[in-house]
Amino acid sequence: MKTEDDNADDTVLFHVEGRTAVVTLNRPRALNALTRPMVLRIDEALGAWEEDPAVHQVLIRGAGERGLCAGGDIRAIHDDAKAGTTASAEFWRDEYRLNARIARYPKPYVALMDGIVMGGGVGVSAHGGVRVVTERSRVAMPETGIGFVPDVGGTWLLGRAPGRLGTHLALTGAAVGAADALLCGLADHFVPAGRLPELTAALAGAPAHEVLPRYAATPPPGELAARRPWIDHCYAAGTVEEIVERLLADGDPAAKEAAETILAKSPTALKVTLAALRRATALGSLEEVLVQEFRVSCNALASPDLVEGIRAQVVDKDRDPRWSPPALADVTDADVEGHFAPLAGGDLSFG
């Protein structure tokens, strides 16, 4: 469904303020969800600014007050999966290359992770070198709820969170606030939302490392630090079934709630996510992880759960997905392994 802010020329805006080049994701009605044209234009701009001696750093932010970016356009992915076409694979190929560029960017890349930052929004922010959260931040990789698997380098990021925190976030899809984003290594600084305009203005005249100490503060308390004992124990189990068993047996109400949350997700997506996360921790670079994620994402297009999950959450909004297979015990090792199979159209590569 098109809206008036879907014109390819103004869905992402660029300008330079002093020493800082600014990217503004500009689809506020769609929570700044990413499209392929947006990804390509951001990548082109970053390439130009990399060579521009007048640009010392880059800032990315979202239009409106609801969030930086809610992810990719999952309605388009739903339609593509139903039609059996290749638009999603083409989008992911460009998006993941952009994620890798951001992670390796030679100039400071400052991401204002204010409000909702989910899925693809994490991809254009959490790989940056300077990541700012606020009291309004809600950071998540919620893919298992739509029959999908964390991508955009999400398994790389979550796999490197302390203890088993990343596994907890990947399986439950839970959104975290500022303090927990900092704890999990998804952000670097907390700045009150009301001071972001001042921060942005200050960055026009000075490097981020000089500016941020004047604005950074202590965030409101988080939840995950106190939950580390049961999270680290329960999510160390070998399978999703065992993780759920440990959570239900723990006795902490929050652990029980986590188990119930997990059991509402796609069984196939849960098992593939756990496998992807654990394989990601053994890989040596973000690029290798993105290649793995590209395989998993493209192979997931053939899974009935992706279409069904998006239908239930976004299209019909009945919140009652009918997963296939419906239970964890019914998902075979072969089902999981198939998501990691090489692609007929070729793997992701980096120029």
Side-chain angles (χ1 to χ4, degrees):
M1 183 173 66
K2 295 282 186 181
T3 65
E4 66 182 28
D5 57 7
D6 282 337
N7 185 297
D9 292 335
D10 61 13
T11 54
V12 56
L13 307 175
F14 307 97
H15 72 282
V16 177
E17 294 182 16
R19 63 170 57 227
T20 301
V22 180
V23 179
T24 305
L25 305 181
N26 190 40
R27 298 183 69 209
R29 294 185 185 180
L31 269 171
N32 300 318
L34 294 170
T35 63
R36 189 178 180 215
M38 292 169 70
V39 165
L40 291 172
R41 293 185 68 213
I42 295 168
D43 188 71
E44 181 182 13
L46 290 179
W49 289 331
E50 187 172 328
E51 305 299 326
D52 187 345
V55 171
H56 293 254
Q57 57 201 6
V58 173
L59 173 80
I60 188 167
R61 63 188 182 183
E65 296 187 351
R66 296 169 64 199
L68 170 66
C69 175
D73 186 344
I74 59 174
R75 277 181 177 267
I77 293 170
H78 170 271
D79 295 345
D80 183 45
K82 286 188 71 174
T85 50
T86 61
S88 294
E90 292 165 1
F91 169 63
W92 289 326
R93 192 182 296 275
D94 294 326
E95 184 183 27
Y96 299 176
R97 285 172 173 163
L98 174 61
N99 301 147
R101 178 190 280 275
I102 290 168
R104 304 288 181 255
Y105 205 62
K107 298 179 180 181
Y109 182 97
V110 183
L112 301 186
M113 301 171 69
D114 184 33
I116 292 173
V117 185
M118 295 185 178
V122 173
V124 296
S125 59
H127 294 299
V130 186
R131 305 161 301 174
V132 177
V133 284
T134 76
E135 71 278 7
R136 303 188 298 201
S137 295
R138 302 300 294 165
V139 184
M141 296 297 296
E143 287 77 8
T144 55
I146 58 167
F148 198 46
V149 177
D151 66 335
V152 297
T155 59
W156 169 265
L157 294 164
L158 295 176
R160 282 153 181 76
R164 305 290 176 167
L165 291 175
T167 308
H168 170 66
L169 297 183
L171 296 183
T172 63
V176 297
D180 288 333
L182 292 165
L183 173 64
C184 291
L186 300 173
D188 306 299
H189 307 278
F190 169 79
V191 175
R195 302 202 71 190
L196 291 183
E198 298 173 59
L199 171 63
T200 301
L203 287 169
H209 71 271
E210 293 181 7
V211 171
L212 272 161
R214 304 203 301 267
Y215 296 91
T218 301
E223 299 176 344
L224 292 181
R227 296 176 180 177
R228 279 288 301 278
W230 63 259
I231 286 175
D232 288 352
H233 168 70
C234 295
Y235 289 96
T239 66
V240 179
E241 291 95 326
E242 292 175 84
I243 288 171
V244 171
E245 288 175 8
R246 290 190 184 187
L247 289 168
L248 291 172
D250 182 81
D252 190 307
K256 181 176 183 290
E257 181 181 351
E260 293 170 347
T261 297
I262 290 171
L263 289 171
K265 311 298 185 184
S266 159
T268 300
L270 289 168
K271 287 198 169 183
V272 176
T273 293
L274 185 63
L277 198 62
R278 291 183 172 172
R279 295 182 189 203
T281 61
L283 295 174
S285 70
L286 171 63
E287 285 83 357
E288 290 177 272
V289 172
L290 287 167
V291 170
Q292 174 177 279
E293 290 181 350
F294 186 67
R295 288 187 178 185
V296 170
S297 295
C298 291
N299 286 318
L301 283 172
S303 166
D305 279 4
L306 179 56
V307 170
E308 174 62 9
I310 299 174
R311 179 206 64 76
Q313 298 297 333
V314 178
V315 179
D316 297 337
K317 299 182 180 179
D318 57 28
R319 307 292 192 266
D320 185 26
R322 295 169 177 82
W323 304 122
S324 179
L328 287 166
D330 298 327
V331 181
T332 68
D333 291 344
D335 293 333
V336 173
E337 197 60 37
H339 283 73
F340 296 89
L343 302 171
D347 279 329
L348 176 67
S349 61
F350 301 92

